[in-house]
Amino acid sequence: MLIVKKFGGTSVANKERIMNVARRCTEDYKAGHDVVVVLSAMGKYTDELIAMAEDINEKPPRRELDMLLTLGEQMSVALMAMALDTLKVPAISLNAFQVSMHTTSVHGNARLKRIDTERIQRELENRKIVVVTGFQGVNKYDDYTTLGRGGSDTTAVALAAALHADVCEIFTDVDGVYTADPRLVPTARKLSEISYDEMLDLATLGAGVLHNRSVELAKKYGVPLVVRSSLNNSEGTVVKEEPTVERMLISGVALDTKAVRIAVIGLQDVPGTAFKLFDVLAKRNINVDVILQSIGRNGTKDISFTVDDKDLDEAIAALDENRQRLGYKELQSDRNIAKLSIVGAGMMSNPGVAARMFESLYNENVNINMISTSEIRVTVLINEQDGVKAMNAVHDAFKLAD
Ligand code: ADP
Ligand code: ASP
Ligand code: MG
Protein backbone atom coordinates (compact mmCIF):
# COMPACT_ATOMS: atom_id res chain seq x y z
CA MET A 1 0.00 0.00 0.00
CA LEU A 2 1.00 3.61 -0.51
CA ILE A 3 -0.05 5.74 2.43
CA VAL A 4 0.08 9.55 2.67
CA LYS A 5 0.08 10.72 6.28
CA LYS A 6 -0.27 14.39 7.17
CA PHE A 7 0.51 15.79 10.62
CA GLY A 8 -0.54 19.27 11.69
CA GLY A 9 1.30 21.80 13.82
CA THR A 10 0.28 20.51 17.25
CA SER A 11 1.30 16.99 16.26
CA VAL A 12 4.90 18.08 15.64
CA ALA A 13 5.07 20.90 18.20
CA ASN A 14 8.10 19.60 20.12
CA LYS A 15 10.78 16.91 20.20
CA GLU A 16 8.58 14.30 21.94
CA ARG A 17 5.77 14.76 19.42
CA ILE A 18 8.15 14.64 16.47
CA MET A 19 9.55 11.34 17.81
CA ASN A 20 5.99 10.08 18.33
CA VAL A 21 5.12 10.86 14.70
CA ALA A 22 8.35 9.28 13.51
CA ARG A 23 7.49 6.08 15.37
CA ARG A 24 3.98 5.98 13.94
CA CYS A 25 5.30 6.37 10.41
CA THR A 26 7.88 3.66 11.05
CA GLU A 27 5.17 1.13 11.94
CA ASP A 28 3.58 1.44 8.50
CA TYR A 29 6.96 1.38 6.82
CA LYS A 30 8.01 -1.78 8.65
CA ALA A 31 4.73 -3.43 7.68
CA GLY A 32 5.98 -3.08 4.10
CA HIS A 33 4.02 -0.01 3.01
CA ASP A 34 5.31 2.96 1.08
CA VAL A 35 4.97 6.02 3.28
CA VAL A 36 4.82 9.69 2.31
CA VAL A 37 4.60 12.12 5.22
CA VAL A 38 3.35 15.69 4.82
CA LEU A 39 4.05 18.12 7.65
CA SER A 40 2.94 21.55 8.82
CA ALA A 41 5.14 23.99 10.69
CA MET A 42 5.77 23.17 14.35
CA GLY A 43 3.10 24.46 16.79
CA LYS A 44 2.29 28.09 16.14
CA TYR A 45 5.47 28.77 14.18
CA THR A 46 3.62 30.12 11.14
CA ASP A 47 1.91 32.69 13.39
CA GLU A 48 5.29 33.61 14.86
CA LEU A 49 6.79 34.12 11.40
CA ILE A 50 3.84 36.34 10.42
CA ALA A 51 4.31 38.37 13.61
CA MET A 52 8.01 38.80 12.82
CA ALA A 53 7.17 39.98 9.32
CA GLU A 54 4.57 42.47 10.55
CA ASP A 55 6.96 43.76 13.16
CA ILE A 56 9.29 44.86 10.38
CA ASN A 57 6.60 45.92 7.92
CA GLU A 58 2.88 46.32 8.70
CA LYS A 59 1.95 45.17 5.23
CA PRO A 60 4.74 42.82 4.17
CA PRO A 61 4.99 42.26 0.41
CA ARG A 62 3.17 38.99 -0.24
CA ARG A 63 6.01 37.43 -2.17
CA GLU A 64 8.41 38.02 0.69
CA LEU A 65 5.91 36.79 3.26
CA ASP A 66 5.60 33.50 1.37
CA MET A 67 9.38 33.29 1.17
CA LEU A 68 9.45 33.56 4.96
CA LEU A 69 6.54 31.23 5.69
CA THR A 70 8.05 28.34 3.76
CA LEU A 71 10.70 28.15 6.49
CA GLY A 72 8.21 26.68 8.98
CA GLU A 73 7.44 23.57 6.98
CA GLN A 74 11.04 23.18 5.82
CA MET A 75 12.16 23.06 9.45
CA SER A 76 9.61 20.36 10.33
CA VAL A 77 10.49 18.05 7.45
CA ALA A 78 14.23 18.24 8.06
CA LEU A 79 13.79 17.51 11.77
CA MET A 80 11.43 14.62 10.98
CA ALA A 81 13.92 13.05 8.57
CA MET A 82 16.55 13.37 11.33
CA ALA A 83 14.15 11.76 13.82
CA LEU A 84 13.56 8.86 11.45
CA ASP A 85 17.30 8.49 11.06
CA THR A 86 17.66 7.97 14.81
CA LEU A 87 15.15 5.11 14.43
CA LYS A 88 17.36 3.64 11.70
CA VAL A 89 14.74 4.13 9.02
CA PRO A 90 15.91 5.58 5.71
CA ALA A 91 14.14 8.88 5.06
CA ILE A 92 14.53 12.00 2.98
CA SER A 93 12.95 15.42 3.33
CA LEU A 94 11.86 17.39 0.27
CA ASN A 95 10.46 20.90 -0.09
CA ALA A 96 8.05 22.15 -2.75
CA PHE A 97 10.88 23.13 -5.06
CA GLN A 98 12.60 19.77 -4.88
CA VAL A 99 9.39 17.86 -5.52
CA SER A 100 8.13 20.44 -7.96
CA MET A 101 4.71 21.36 -6.73
CA HIS A 102 3.42 23.82 -9.28
CA THR A 103 0.86 26.40 -8.22
CA THR A 104 -0.89 29.47 -9.55
CA SER A 105 0.98 32.73 -8.97
CA VAL A 106 -1.19 34.34 -6.27
CA HIS A 107 0.89 34.70 -3.12
CA GLY A 108 -0.76 33.69 0.13
CA ASN A 109 -3.63 31.87 -1.55
CA ALA A 110 -2.15 29.85 -4.41
CA ARG A 111 -3.80 26.78 -5.88
CA LEU A 112 -1.92 23.60 -6.70
CA LYS A 113 -1.92 22.95 -10.43
CA ARG A 114 0.38 19.98 -10.91
CA ILE A 115 2.75 17.90 -8.82
CA ASP A 116 5.69 16.10 -10.38
CA THR A 117 5.85 12.68 -8.76
CA GLU A 118 9.07 11.40 -10.31
CA ARG A 119 11.42 12.34 -7.47
CA ILE A 120 9.09 11.05 -4.76
CA GLN A 121 8.54 7.81 -6.64
CA ARG A 122 12.27 7.30 -7.05
CA GLU A 123 12.83 7.77 -3.32
CA LEU A 124 9.98 5.39 -2.50
CA GLU A 125 11.48 2.78 -4.81
CA ASN A 126 14.69 3.12 -2.79
CA ARG A 127 12.56 2.24 0.25
CA LYS A 128 12.74 5.65 1.88
CA ILE A 129 10.08 7.41 3.87
CA VAL A 130 9.56 10.64 1.96
CA VAL A 131 8.84 13.65 4.15
CA VAL A 132 7.35 16.56 2.21
CA THR A 133 6.62 20.17 3.19
CA GLY A 134 2.92 21.02 3.31
CA PHE A 135 1.41 24.44 2.59
CA GLN A 136 4.01 25.59 0.05
CA GLY A 137 4.35 25.52 -3.72
CA VAL A 138 6.27 27.13 -6.55
CA ASN A 139 4.78 29.38 -9.22
CA LYS A 140 5.73 29.86 -12.86
CA TYR A 141 8.29 32.50 -11.91
CA ASP A 142 10.05 29.93 -9.69
CA ASP A 143 8.94 31.84 -6.61
CA TYR A 144 7.58 30.20 -3.49
CA THR A 145 3.87 30.47 -2.87
CA THR A 146 1.65 29.31 0.00
CA LEU A 147 -1.77 27.71 -0.22
CA GLY A 148 -3.63 29.71 2.45
CA ARG A 149 -3.77 29.04 6.20
CA GLY A 150 -4.30 25.38 6.96
CA GLY A 151 -3.16 24.48 3.45
CA SER A 152 -1.02 21.46 4.38
CA ASP A 153 -4.14 19.29 4.26
CA THR A 154 -4.47 20.24 0.61
CA THR A 155 -0.85 19.35 -0.11
CA ALA A 156 -1.46 15.92 1.42
CA VAL A 157 -4.62 15.18 -0.56
CA ALA A 158 -3.10 16.49 -3.79
CA LEU A 159 -0.06 14.26 -3.28
CA ALA A 160 -2.30 11.29 -2.52
CA ALA A 161 -4.20 11.94 -5.75
CA ALA A 162 -1.05 12.39 -7.84
CA LEU A 163 0.60 9.26 -6.41
CA HIS A 164 -2.64 7.21 -6.52
CA ALA A 165 -2.23 6.52 -2.82
CA ASP A 166 -4.47 3.94 -1.19
CA VAL A 167 -5.35 6.29 1.62
CA CYS A 168 -4.69 9.82 2.86
CA GLU A 169 -4.68 10.10 6.64
CA ILE A 170 -4.93 13.54 8.22
CA PHE A 171 -3.62 13.38 11.79
CA THR A 172 -4.58 16.23 14.06
CA ASP A 173 -5.20 17.18 17.69
CA VAL A 174 -8.80 15.90 17.83
CA ASP A 175 -10.08 12.34 17.24
CA GLY A 176 -11.84 13.14 13.98
CA VAL A 177 -14.58 15.31 12.56
CA TYR A 178 -17.14 16.24 15.20
CA THR A 179 -20.70 17.53 14.93
CA ALA A 180 -19.23 20.91 15.95
CA ASP A 181 -15.85 22.21 17.08
CA PRO A 182 -15.40 20.22 20.31
CA ARG A 183 -13.50 23.15 21.82
CA LEU A 184 -16.56 25.37 21.53
CA VAL A 185 -19.37 22.83 21.93
CA PRO A 186 -18.60 20.43 24.77
CA THR A 187 -21.45 18.08 23.80
CA ALA A 188 -20.17 17.62 20.23
CA ARG A 189 -19.94 14.03 19.06
CA LYS A 190 -17.43 12.35 16.74
CA LEU A 191 -18.79 11.27 13.36
CA SER A 192 -17.66 7.89 12.07
CA GLU A 193 -18.34 8.95 8.46
CA ILE A 194 -19.24 12.08 6.55
CA SER A 195 -19.76 12.77 2.83
CA TYR A 196 -17.34 14.88 0.80
CA ASP A 197 -20.12 17.40 0.11
CA GLU A 198 -21.06 17.87 3.74
CA MET A 199 -17.41 18.06 4.80
CA LEU A 200 -16.71 20.60 2.07
CA ASP A 201 -19.52 22.85 3.32
CA LEU A 202 -18.47 22.48 6.96
CA ALA A 203 -14.83 23.25 6.10
CA THR A 204 -15.79 26.26 4.00
CA LEU A 205 -18.14 27.56 6.68
CA GLY A 206 -15.61 27.58 9.49
CA ALA A 207 -14.88 24.01 10.66
CA GLY A 208 -11.11 24.44 10.57
CA VAL A 209 -10.38 20.74 11.00
CA LEU A 210 -9.78 20.39 7.23
CA HIS A 211 -8.70 22.96 4.63
CA ASN A 212 -11.68 23.23 2.30
CA ARG A 213 -9.68 22.78 -0.90
CA SER A 214 -8.36 19.46 0.42
CA VAL A 215 -11.94 18.20 0.55
CA GLU A 216 -12.64 19.56 -2.92
CA LEU A 217 -9.64 17.67 -4.29
CA ALA A 218 -10.48 14.49 -2.38
CA LYS A 219 -13.94 14.50 -3.93
CA LYS A 220 -12.67 15.31 -7.41
CA TYR A 221 -10.10 12.51 -7.43
CA GLY A 222 -11.94 10.09 -5.13
CA VAL A 223 -9.15 10.08 -2.56
CA PRO A 224 -10.05 7.97 0.49
CA LEU A 225 -9.65 10.43 3.34
CA VAL A 226 -9.47 9.72 7.08
CA VAL A 227 -9.20 12.29 9.88
CA ARG A 228 -7.57 10.87 13.03
CA SER A 229 -5.75 11.85 16.18
CA SER A 230 -1.95 11.80 16.22
CA LEU A 231 -2.03 11.23 19.97
CA ASN A 232 -4.13 8.04 20.17
CA ASN A 233 -5.21 5.11 18.02
CA SER A 234 -8.95 5.73 17.90
CA GLU A 235 -10.76 5.12 14.61
CA GLY A 236 -11.23 8.64 13.32
CA THR A 237 -13.68 9.86 10.69
CA VAL A 238 -13.87 8.58 7.13
CA VAL A 239 -14.71 11.23 4.51
CA LYS A 240 -16.18 9.60 1.42
CA GLU A 241 -18.70 9.93 -1.40
CA GLU A 242 -21.59 7.95 0.10
CA PRO A 243 -21.53 7.29 3.84
CA THR A 244 -23.01 3.92 4.74
CA VAL A 245 -24.17 4.83 8.22
CA GLU A 246 -27.70 6.12 8.56
CA ARG A 247 -27.91 9.74 7.63
CA MET A 248 -28.84 12.19 10.33
CA LEU A 249 -30.85 15.27 9.56
CA ILE A 250 -27.87 17.48 10.29
CA SER A 251 -24.22 16.36 10.25
CA GLY A 252 -22.69 19.40 11.83
CA VAL A 253 -22.73 23.00 12.94
CA ALA A 254 -19.97 25.44 12.00
CA LEU A 255 -19.11 28.91 13.21
CA ASP A 256 -17.00 31.39 11.26
CA THR A 257 -15.97 34.45 13.23
CA LYS A 258 -13.62 35.68 10.51
CA ALA A 259 -16.42 36.89 8.27
CA VAL A 260 -16.99 40.64 7.92
CA ARG A 261 -19.97 42.35 6.32
CA ILE A 262 -19.78 45.08 3.72
CA ALA A 263 -22.89 47.08 2.83
CA VAL A 264 -22.95 49.08 -0.39
CA ILE A 265 -25.68 51.68 0.03
CA GLY A 266 -27.58 53.59 -2.63
CA LEU A 267 -26.71 51.66 -5.77
CA GLN A 268 -28.71 52.38 -8.91
CA ASP A 269 -31.59 49.93 -9.31
CA VAL A 270 -30.80 48.99 -12.93
CA PRO A 271 -29.63 45.79 -14.68
CA GLY A 272 -25.89 45.07 -14.39
CA THR A 273 -25.34 46.65 -10.97
CA ALA A 274 -24.66 43.39 -9.14
CA PHE A 275 -22.47 42.16 -11.98
CA LYS A 276 -20.29 45.27 -11.95
CA LEU A 277 -19.99 45.20 -8.17
CA PHE A 278 -18.98 41.57 -7.81
CA ASP A 279 -16.80 41.66 -10.91
CA VAL A 280 -14.62 44.31 -9.23
CA LEU A 281 -14.11 41.92 -6.31
CA ALA A 282 -13.66 38.80 -8.43
CA LYS A 283 -10.87 40.50 -10.40
CA ARG A 284 -9.00 40.88 -7.11
CA ASN A 285 -9.56 37.25 -6.15
CA ILE A 286 -11.82 38.22 -3.26
CA ASN A 287 -14.32 35.53 -2.29
CA VAL A 288 -17.79 36.75 -1.49
CA ASP A 289 -20.25 34.72 0.54
CA VAL A 290 -23.72 35.50 1.94
CA ILE A 291 -25.29 38.18 -0.27
CA LEU A 292 -28.41 40.18 0.46
CA GLN A 293 -30.02 42.73 -1.86
CA SER A 294 -32.68 45.07 -0.59
CA ILE A 295 -35.88 45.83 -2.47
CA GLY A 296 -35.39 48.85 -4.73
CA ARG A 297 -36.83 52.16 -3.57
CA ASN A 298 -36.76 55.50 -5.41
CA GLY A 299 -34.51 53.99 -8.07
CA THR A 300 -31.83 52.84 -5.63
CA LYS A 301 -31.02 49.66 -3.72
CA ASP A 302 -28.47 48.34 -1.22
CA ILE A 303 -26.36 45.20 -1.50
CA SER A 304 -24.69 43.60 1.54
CA PHE A 305 -22.32 40.66 1.48
CA THR A 306 -19.65 38.99 3.57
CA VAL A 307 -15.94 38.54 2.87
CA ASP A 308 -13.11 37.06 4.89
CA ASP A 309 -11.60 39.62 7.27
CA LYS A 310 -8.19 39.35 5.64
CA ASP A 311 -9.77 40.65 2.40
CA LEU A 312 -11.68 43.55 3.96
CA ASP A 313 -9.14 46.32 3.31
CA GLU A 314 -8.61 45.26 -0.27
CA ALA A 315 -12.35 44.95 -0.93
CA ILE A 316 -13.00 48.45 0.41
CA ALA A 317 -10.11 49.87 -1.61
CA ALA A 318 -11.35 48.17 -4.79
CA LEU A 319 -14.90 49.48 -4.29
CA ASP A 320 -13.58 52.94 -3.50
CA GLU A 321 -11.52 53.04 -6.70
CA ASN A 322 -14.62 52.11 -8.71
CA ARG A 323 -17.01 54.41 -6.90
CA GLN A 324 -17.81 56.50 -9.98
CA ARG A 325 -18.55 53.52 -12.18
CA LEU A 326 -20.56 51.66 -9.56
CA GLY A 327 -22.40 54.81 -8.53
CA TYR A 328 -23.14 54.07 -4.88
CA LYS A 329 -23.68 56.58 -2.08
CA GLU A 330 -21.95 54.97 0.85
CA LEU A 331 -19.92 51.97 2.04
CA GLN A 332 -20.27 50.45 5.49
CA SER A 333 -18.37 47.57 7.02
CA ASP A 334 -18.96 45.57 10.17
CA ARG A 335 -16.41 43.25 11.77
CA ASN A 336 -18.64 42.34 14.65
CA ILE A 337 -20.46 39.50 12.91
CA ALA A 338 -20.23 35.72 12.78
CA LYS A 339 -21.58 33.18 10.33
CA LEU A 340 -23.36 30.23 11.88
CA SER A 341 -24.25 27.29 9.64
CA ILE A 342 -25.91 23.92 9.84
CA VAL A 343 -24.94 21.34 7.22
CA GLY A 344 -26.58 18.03 6.40
CA ALA A 345 -27.62 16.06 3.34
CA GLY A 346 -30.64 14.90 5.38
CA MET A 347 -32.28 18.33 5.18
CA MET A 348 -32.97 17.92 1.45
CA SER A 349 -35.93 15.68 2.17
CA ASN A 350 -37.02 17.27 5.45
CA PRO A 351 -38.94 20.53 5.58
CA GLY A 352 -38.77 22.58 8.74
CA VAL A 353 -35.03 22.30 9.35
CA ALA A 354 -34.44 26.04 8.93
CA ALA A 355 -37.43 26.81 11.16
CA ARG A 356 -36.02 24.62 13.89
CA MET A 357 -32.70 26.46 13.68
CA PHE A 358 -34.40 29.87 13.83
CA GLU A 359 -36.51 28.76 16.78
CA SER A 360 -33.45 27.74 18.77
CA LEU A 361 -31.89 31.15 18.06
CA TYR A 362 -35.10 32.90 19.08
CA ASN A 363 -35.10 30.95 22.35
CA GLU A 364 -31.64 32.37 23.06
CA ASN A 365 -32.71 35.85 21.99
CA VAL A 366 -30.18 35.87 19.14
CA ASN A 367 -30.98 38.26 16.31
CA ILE A 368 -30.46 37.13 12.70
CA ASN A 369 -29.03 39.71 10.29
CA MET A 370 -28.91 37.75 7.03
CA ILE A 371 -29.87 34.25 5.89
CA SER A 372 -28.61 32.13 3.04
CA THR A 373 -29.43 28.53 2.17
CA SER A 374 -28.51 25.73 -0.22
CA GLU A 375 -29.84 22.19 -0.55
CA ILE A 376 -27.65 20.98 2.29
CA ARG A 377 -27.00 24.04 4.42
CA VAL A 378 -28.54 27.00 6.20
CA THR A 379 -26.32 29.93 7.14
CA VAL A 380 -27.26 32.88 9.31
CA LEU A 381 -25.33 36.02 10.10
CA ILE A 382 -25.40 36.97 13.76
CA ASN A 383 -23.50 39.26 16.12
CA GLU A 384 -20.08 37.88 16.95
CA GLN A 385 -20.61 37.93 20.72
CA ASP A 386 -23.62 35.60 20.31
CA GLY A 387 -21.56 33.09 18.31
CA VAL A 388 -20.68 30.36 20.78
CA LYS A 389 -23.99 30.55 22.66
CA ALA A 390 -25.91 30.32 19.39
CA MET A 391 -23.75 27.45 18.15
CA ASN A 392 -24.43 25.41 21.28
CA ALA A 393 -28.16 26.16 21.14
CA VAL A 394 -28.48 25.10 17.50
CA HIS A 395 -26.32 22.02 18.05
CA ASP A 396 -28.50 20.87 20.91
CA ALA A 397 -31.76 21.68 19.10
CA PHE A 398 -30.85 19.04 16.51
CA LYS A 399 -29.98 16.56 19.23
CA LEU A 400 -26.48 16.09 17.92
CA ALA A 401 -25.07 15.73 21.41
CA ASP A 402 -23.48 12.61 22.85
P1 ADP B 1 -3.76 20.90 12.50
O1 ADP B 1 -2.70 21.78 13.04
O2 ADP B 1 -3.59 19.47 12.88
O3 ADP B 1 -4.02 21.07 11.05
P2 ADP B 1 -6.12 22.48 13.05
O4 ADP B 1 -6.06 23.38 14.24
O5 ADP B 1 -5.97 23.07 11.71
O6 ADP B 1 -5.07 21.30 13.31
O7 ADP B 1 -7.50 21.66 13.08
C1 ADP B 1 -7.91 20.96 14.21
C2 ADP B 1 -8.88 21.82 15.04
O8 ADP B 1 -10.08 22.03 14.29
C3 ADP B 1 -9.36 21.18 16.30
O9 ADP B 1 -8.46 21.41 17.36
C4 ADP B 1 -10.73 21.82 16.53
O10 ADP B 1 -10.69 22.83 17.51
C5 ADP B 1 -11.07 22.47 15.20
N1 ADP B 1 -12.39 22.11 14.68
C6 ADP B 1 -13.30 22.99 14.18
N2 ADP B 1 -14.41 22.37 13.81
C7 ADP B 1 -14.24 21.05 14.05
C8 ADP B 1 -15.06 19.89 13.86
N3 ADP B 1 -16.28 19.96 13.32
N4 ADP B 1 -14.55 18.68 14.23
C9 ADP B 1 -13.31 18.59 14.75
N5 ADP B 1 -12.50 19.66 14.95
C10 ADP B 1 -12.94 20.88 14.62
N1 ASP C 1 1.56 26.00 8.77
C1 ASP C 1 0.47 26.48 7.96
C2 ASP C 1 -0.52 27.27 8.81
O1 ASP C 1 -0.31 27.44 9.98
C3 ASP C 1 -0.20 25.39 7.18
C4 ASP C 1 -0.98 24.37 7.97
O2 ASP C 1 -0.93 24.35 9.21
O3 ASP C 1 -1.66 23.57 7.34
O4 ASP C 1 -1.48 27.76 8.27
MG1 MG D 1 -5.14 22.43 9.90
Side-chain angles (χ1 to χ4, degrees):
M1 280 219 308
L2 170 53
I3 305 174
V4 174
K5 299 166 94 70
K6 179 259 165 178
F7 295 87
T10 335
S11 308
V12 292
N14 53 40
K15 177 183 161 190
E16 286 68 36
R17 297 221 174 135
I18 289 179
M19 289 311 298
N20 166 53
V21 169
R23 275 189 292 273
R24 275 193 99 132
C25 298
T26 306
E27 285 165 21
D28 283 326
Y29 174 85
K30 291 203 167 140
H33 303 305
D34 288 331
V35 181
V36 174
V37 183
V38 176
L39 299 181
S40 297
M42 292 170 69
K44 300 247 169 273
Y45 197 59
T46 305
D47 292 325
E48 284 168 32
L49 290 172
I50 293 174
M52 279 166 76
E54 289 177 348
D55 193 32
I56 295 261
N57 181 336
E58 248 176 62
K59 280 199 184 327
R62 289 185 171 207
R63 178 195 181 276
E64 303 310 331
L65 186 60
D66 277 355
M67 188 76 178
L68 184 70
L69 294 189
T70 53
L71 293 180
E73 274 65 20
Q74 189 151 326
M75 177 166 141
S76 307
V77 294
L79 290 172
M80 185 60 65
M82 292 175 197
L84 287 161
D85 183 67
T86 66
L87 301 175
K88 309 267 178 294
V89 176
I92 183 166
S93 65
L94 297 173
N95 69 14
F97 221 105
Q98 292 166 310
V99 172
S100 272
M101 297 210 236
H102 305 271
T103 71
T104 54
S105 346
V106 200
H107 287 289
N109 195 22
R111 278 175 173 266
L112 279 167
K113 291 205 302 197
R114 184 169 52 87
I115 297 181
D116 297 343
T117 55
E118 200 193 336
R119 175 77 190 266
I120 296 181
Q121 256 149 357
R122 200 164 67 221
E123 303 296 353
L124 289 174
E125 274 157 28
N126 291 331
R127 280 302 283 154
K128 288 191 183 154
I129 292 185
V130 185
V131 192
V132 183
T133 48
F135 182 53
Q136 54 181 254
V138 180
N139 68 16
K140 64 179 175 200
Y141 308 108
D142 277 355
D143 284 332
Y144 278 115
T145 54
T146 57
L147 309 181
R149 298 305 306 272
S152 297
D153 300 331
T154 299
T155 308
V157 173
L159 267 176
L163 293 163
H164 306 289
D166 295 277
V167 62
C168 179
E169 297 176 311
I170 307 284
F171 291 89
T172 182
D173 55 4
V174 283
D175 289 354
V177 180
Y178 280 65
T179 49
D181 186 340
R183 294 184 206 287
L184 302 179
V185 179
T187 54
R189 189 167 48 79
K190 189 177 86 184
L191 298 163
S192 58
E193 295 182 348
I194 186 167
S195 70
Y196 290 128
D197 287 334
E198 290 168 303
M199 190 64 238
L200 181 57
D201 269 355
L202 281 177
T204 307
L205 295 165
V209 63
L210 284 178
H211 193 233
N212 64 348
R213 285 217 287 279
S214 72
V215 188
E216 216 170 75
L217 283 182
K219 179 179 164 71
K220 184 166 173 193
Y221 295 103
V223 176
L225 193 60
V226 186
V227 180
R228 307 180 55 179
S229 165
S230 64
L231 303 168
N232 63 46
N233 269 322
S234 72
E235 290 262 304
T237 304
V238 179
V239 189
K240 52 155 110 166
E241 190 63 49
E242 281 291 333
T244 44
V245 291
E246 197 188 338
R247 208 158 238 170
M248 293 176 303
L249 196 53
I250 297 300
S251 298
V253 182
L255 181 70
D256 177 1
T257 51
K258 293 204 188 93
V260 293
R261 179 175 49 176
I262 298 177
V264 189
I265 316 274
L267 285 156
Q268 278 192 310
D269 193 13
V270 293
T273 306
F275 160 67
K276 284 187 211 153
L277 177 65
F278 293 116
D279 189 50
V280 164
L281 301 170
K283 290 225 165 80
R284 307 247 181 153
N285 272 311
I286 297 171
N287 266 331
V288 171
D289 195 27
V290 187
I291 300 173
L292 186 76
Q293 173 170 311
S294 70
I295 296 175
R297 245 189 229 122
N298 305 327
T300 68
K301 63 186 173 190
D302 309 333
I303 296 182
S304 313
F305 53 89
T306 60
V307 297
D308 203 88
D309 61 0
K310 72 174 185 346
D311 291 331
L312 177 64
D313 291 348
E314 200 174 344
I316 296 286
L319 295 173
D320 233 13
E321 267 172 39
N322 288 276
R323 184 168 190 155
Q324 287 275 314
R325 203 164 66 86
L326 298 171
Y328 59 83
K329 289 206 184 67
E330 196 193 333
L331 281 184
Q332 290 173 358
S333 63
D334 186 359
R335 285 181 179 275
N336 177 29
I337 56 145
K339 247 178 359 188
L340 178 68
S341 309
I342 53 173
V343 172
M347 72 172 79
M348 267 192 275
S349 47
N350 276 282
V353 170
R356 199 192 296 183
M357 179 185 192
F358 303 154
E359 183 187 18
S360 64
L361 294 172
Y362 168 55
N363 288 340
E364 293 292 325
N365 204 18
V366 172
N367 193 37
I368 301 173
N369 298 319
M370 278 157 92
I371 301 170
S372 117
T373 64
S374 82
E375 269 191 321
I376 66 164
R377 69 137 158 159
V378 181
T379 299
V380 296
L381 227 58
I382 57 179
N383 290 338
E384 187 163 351
Q385 64 270 23
D386 288 334
V388 175
K389 171 175 86 169
M391 189 186 200
N392 277 278
V394 170
H395 184 266
D396 294 343
F398 286 98
K399 302 195 171 48
L400 297 175
D402 252 329

